[in-house]
Amino acid sequence: MKLRPLHDRVIVKRLEEEERTQGGIIIPDTAKEKPQQGKVLAVGKGKLLDKGDVVPLMVKEGDRVLFSKYAGTEVKVEGEELLIMREDDILAVLD
């Protein structure tokens, strides 16, 4: 199944955090925070303005992004956990 986000929404897959600290200590799953970085898998056509114009999104498929901690809605598609969020929830694109 392929997801196609609408308007100014973006589908993001979280990037996994390191399981060890620099000192070699293994971090258990219960102590980990959810990562705030992800890879953009799909983008909508753009933000729809009141006059009917569409403003294209600034992010594109394949971008690595940094997003706010509680951004988006978590969905599970074919066993894969994804986030659907508005472009406004994305804080930065990582180069």
Side-chain angles (χ1 to χ4, degrees):
M1 173 184 351
K2 184 168 175 144
L3 287 178
R4 184 175 46 97
L6 301 176
H7 305 294
D8 64 334
R9 289 189 171 75
V10 179
I11 298 177
V12 175
K13 180 176 181 180
R14 286 187 198 266
L15 296 177
E16 294 300 318
E17 291 280 323
E18 292 290 323
E19 293 185 14
R20 292 180 183 249
T21 64
Q22 289 181 351
I25 298 172
I26 297 175
I27 303 170
D29 289 339
T30 55
K32 288 184 192 175
E33 288 192 22
K34 291 189 176 183
Q36 291 176 262
Q37 291 184 27
K39 181 178 178 183
V40 176
L41 299 180
V43 296
K45 295 205 182 276
K47 187 169 187 158
L48 186 62
L49 302 178
D50 292 335
K51 293 182 179 182
D53 297 332
V54 176
V55 177
L57 301 181
M58 295 178 73
V59 296
K60 60 186 181 306
E61 289 180 27
D63 282 349
R64 281 189 56 202
V65 294
L66 182 66
F67 49 86
S68 56
K69 192 170 196 170
Y70 300 106
T73 303
E74 293 182 358
V75 294
K76 198 168 196 175
V77 178
E78 296 179 356
E80 189 172 28
E81 290 187 20
L82 304 172
L83 283 168
I84 299 177
M85 65 181 71
R86 293 189 178 274
E87 186 185 37
D88 294 343
D89 292 333
I90 295 174
L91 304 173
V93 176
L94 304 169
D95 290 328

